[in-house]
Each structure stands twice: as C-alpha cells, then as structure tokens.
Amino acid sequence: MQDPSLLRLVCFIVAFGLCALWEQHFPRKTLTQSKWFRWGNNFALVTLNSFLLATLIPIAAFQAAVIAQDNQWGVFNTLSLPKELSILICVLLLDCAIYLQHLVFHRIPWLWKLHRVHHADLDIDVTTGTRFHPIEMILSMLIKVALIFVLGVPALAVVIFEVVLNVSAMFNHSNGRLPLWFDKQLRKVIVTPDMHRVHHSVIVKETHSNFGFFLSVWDIWFKTYRAQPKLGHDKVSIGVPEIRDGKEQRLDKLITQPFRYNQKNKN
C-alpha cells in the first residue's frame, strides 16, 4: 500500500470545509472571540506541529505498520484471522486507546498542563479539534507508534483509523447545530458536537467527562459519560478557569502556557 499522506490531506480539507460551512450557516452557540484571530493562531499551531512531527519523529504511524508487517511484529501479525476482521478489531482497539490516553492526559498533572492548551480555547469550533501543544502531539505519536508495533496493526487499519480520527475530531468540535432528536440517536454510537461540548465546559466535573473522540461507547461503558452541561449549551462557558485572557490565544502564548500556568488539574 502506498503512502496515504495525500488521501489524509484530501479528507482533512473536505471534512474541514464541510464542517466550517455547517457551523457558519447553522451555528449551535454564539462565539465570544474573534473567529479569524483564533483560526489564524490555531492553524499556525497545526503548521508548527506538522513540521515538528516530520522533523523529529523518524517514522509515522503508517510506516510503523509497514515495518511491523514486514518483520511480523505484534499480536495481529501472529494470528490467523481474516484480514477484514483484523482491520475492524484494530480500528476499535486504537479508538479505545485514544480514549484511555485522553483520560490519562486529564488525570496526570504534568500531562494535563500540555493538554490544557487544547481546552484553553475560549470558543469551540472546527479548528479546536486540531489545536494541541507540540509536546502532546509528539508524545501521542510515540504512543501510537509503540501501540502499532505491539499489536501489529495492519497498515490499512492505520489509514482508516487516522482518517476517521481526524474527521471525527473536526466534526465533534464543530459549532454546528444538529436536530436534538438526531443528536440523541447519533450519540448512542458516535460522539456528537453537543456531547463533546460538555467536555470543554469550564466546570471541572464536566471537563472530566466525555473523553471519546469517535465512538461514544467507551464513555458509556467506563462511566465517564455526561449527557448535557449543567447550564445548557447556550450558557455554558468554554475553556479552563485559570486562562481567560484573550491574548492567550496567540501562538507564542499557546506554546508557553504549560510552563506559565502552574495550577494543578483537580478531578
């Protein structure tokens, strides 16, 4: 299988465009900050992360899967399962792993300081789904590569998972409105924007809920699901209590936030 970088880029552009149009024409919540100021800095962070990952990490997830397959490393390269079943199971396992990683980044104080950059956005929209501190991105890639080696994840499963993860992150961070009846049914299977908005509430108990990125079942099974924000979606305040200055949305501030704000995460 050829390198899927172009496929991932096309999927990213299409998904971003659709989500941006959706939230522009059918907004769920009134934004409180300058959209273009936030978008410019969030995209600058994405560009920086892409450069650092390409420069500092010798292999990406897809290359790790190819290496594991060529050397028959990992659990699924030793099992005689149908290819389609292996791919399905591995996609599910990777999604569960992202859920668990997300939970751990909330529970361990020094990891929370990194992940808090994602939560410090004072609004939540499609660009929030791409906004992460560079050190968190590097750690996440290392964890993913290690997991792929251990499990022996097929290369196609990695491609499917990364496309699904990127698209779902933009979808569930979107400020788009879904009919309430449709949201109620959809969130039984996948994470919806209303479900994930609870996770970005400034209220700490709500911040520590709804950790899923794609499938909602992990939150339901592991008892971290919270249906709605206490104040409702129109009044819920987005962000974290200690970082409320709009200037903190600048790229230089985003990079230095973990080292300037020392308040520990409280569960």
Side-chain angles (χ1 to χ4, degrees):
M1 185 177 182
Q2 295 182 342
D3 191 304
S5 298
L6 179 60
L7 173 63
R8 291 181 55 203
L9 178 61
V10 170
C11 291
F12 174 86
I13 293 172
V14 171
F16 179 85
L18 291 175
C19 289
L21 287 172
W22 175 37
E23 62 183 24
Q24 175 67 29
H25 293 286
F26 303 99
R28 180 68 168 95
K29 182 175 171 61
T30 301
L31 301 180
T32 64
Q33 307 294 306
S34 168
K35 180 176 180 179
W36 300 112
F37 175 73
R38 287 180 49 258
W39 278 34
N41 285 280
N42 286 353
F43 273 125
L45 188 58
V46 172
T47 302
L48 175 62
N49 286 339
S50 299
F51 171 77
L52 290 175
L53 285 174
T55 304
L56 299 177
I57 306 297
I59 58 171
F62 175 78
Q63 286 76 27
V66 173
I67 293 171
Q69 182 174 325
D70 289 345
N71 292 278
Q72 291 297 290
W73 293 344
V75 175
F76 283 89
N77 283 318
T78 64
L79 299 177
S80 299
L81 294 177
K83 182 177 180 180
E84 293 77 8
L85 181 59
S86 293
I87 291 172
L88 175 60
I89 294 174
C90 284
V91 169
L92 294 176
L93 288 175
L94 288 172
D95 193 55
C96 184
I98 289 293
Y99 164 87
L100 294 173
Q101 176 187 314
H102 193 181
L103 189 149
V104 169
F105 270 71
H106 274 247
R107 294 289 188 261
I108 298 177
W110 71 272
L111 291 174
W112 166 248
K113 289 179 182 180
L114 297 173
H115 184 62
R116 184 176 53 187
V117 171
H118 175 69
H119 279 265
D121 204 343
L122 297 176
D123 285 314
I124 178 172
D125 64 16
V126 62
T127 64
T128 311
T130 65
R131 164 185 160 141
F132 296 92
H133 193 274
I135 298 177
E136 178 178 1
M137 291 296 293
I138 291 171
L139 289 174
S140 296
M141 180 58 74
L142 292 174
I143 292 170
K144 188 189 300 182
V145 168
L147 188 61
I148 288 169
F149 280 142
V150 170
L151 292 178
V153 178
L156 182 56
V158 171
V159 175
I160 293 171
F161 172 72
E162 291 199 323
V163 169
V164 168
L165 181 64
N166 288 335
V167 171
S168 61
M170 287 186 284
F171 167 71
N172 60 46
H173 284 88
S174 293
N175 186 38
R177 180 181 296 274
L178 289 174
L180 295 181
W181 66 267
F182 185 60
D183 175 272
K184 182 178 180 180
Q185 297 302 317
L186 189 61
R187 69 167 60 192
K188 293 178 180 179
V189 181
I190 67 174
V191 178
T192 67
D194 274 13
M195 177 180 166
H196 195 69
R197 191 176 297 106
V198 178
H199 180 73
H200 282 263
S201 165
V202 75
I203 298 174
V204 174
K205 288 185 178 180
E206 295 178 354
T207 306
H208 301 310
S209 66
N210 298 2
F211 295 102
F213 269 88
F214 175 49
L215 295 177
S216 60
V217 294
W218 313 122
D219 283 298
I220 296 170
W221 288 353
F222 295 116
K223 310 298 182 184
T224 55
Y225 173 71
R226 188 176 293 265
Q228 302 294 337
K230 180 180 179 180
L231 300 179
H233 290 281
D234 291 334
K235 295 182 179 180
V236 63
S237 181
I238 301 299
V240 292
E242 64 269 28
I243 307 176
R244 308 304 299 168
D245 188 344
K247 294 180 181 179
E248 288 294 329
Q249 307 308 313
R250 285 192 345 227
L251 177 62
D252 60 320
K253 300 290 188 180
L254 296 176
I255 294 171
T256 59
Q257 268 179 21
F259 315 106
R260 291 184 294 105
Y261 287 86
N262 295 317
Q263 179 174 328
K264 291 185 178 181
N265 187 23
K266 297 180 180 179
N267 295 325

